[in-house]
Amino acid sequence: MTAALVWCPFPEVESARAAADALLDDSLIACANILGAIESRFVWEGARATGSEVGVLFKTTAERLDDVVERLGELHPYDTPAIIGWHADAAHPATFAWLAGSISR
């Protein structure tokens, strides 16, 4: 088994919590770290913009990574959410065991 992570900003903490709870209920993630307010600077529709968002790091397995990305896209309030997932190259054995026990196959 390999661990995986998903990064995604949200417009506010309520939508971040709702998405995290839904993914936990679906047994797609073992944990969501809601990191608090972040300043986002980006290009949108050809213009530079800034905004205040809430960053979230989701912990899952490589086996469920695509499912988390897809479900998060359905749950997210933005029309074009920034959802980025990747496989973790290393994790403590206890972390692997926790992920395996927390996430449905």
Side-chain angles (χ1 to χ4, degrees):
M1 176 190 304
T2 303
L5 301 168
V6 177
W7 166 257
C8 186
F10 287 81
E12 80 298 301
V13 72
E14 292 81 13
S15 62
R17 286 178 181 152
D21 288 346
L23 292 172
L24 286 165
D25 290 345
D26 293 344
S27 298
L28 291 174
I29 62 169
C31 177
N33 298 120
I34 300 173
L35 304 173
I38 57 173
E39 179 182 342
S40 295
R41 304 178 74 74
F42 52 94
V43 174
W44 181 250
E45 297 179 347
R48 184 173 293 187
T50 62
S52 179
E53 296 179 298
V54 175
V56 184
L57 184 65
F58 299 94
K59 296 178 184 104
T60 190
T61 61
E63 180 179 77
R64 299 310 303 262
L65 179 58
D66 290 340
D67 298 325
V68 172
V69 169
E70 181 179 339
R71 181 74 172 116
L72 195 50
E74 296 167 0
L75 295 167
H76 205 285
Y78 291 161
D79 290 336
T80 308
I83 303 169
I84 301 170
W86 65 95
H87 294 217
D89 291 334
H92 191 276
T95 302
F96 283 133
W98 168 61
L99 287 170
S102 300
I103 296 169
S104 66
R105 296 185 194 272

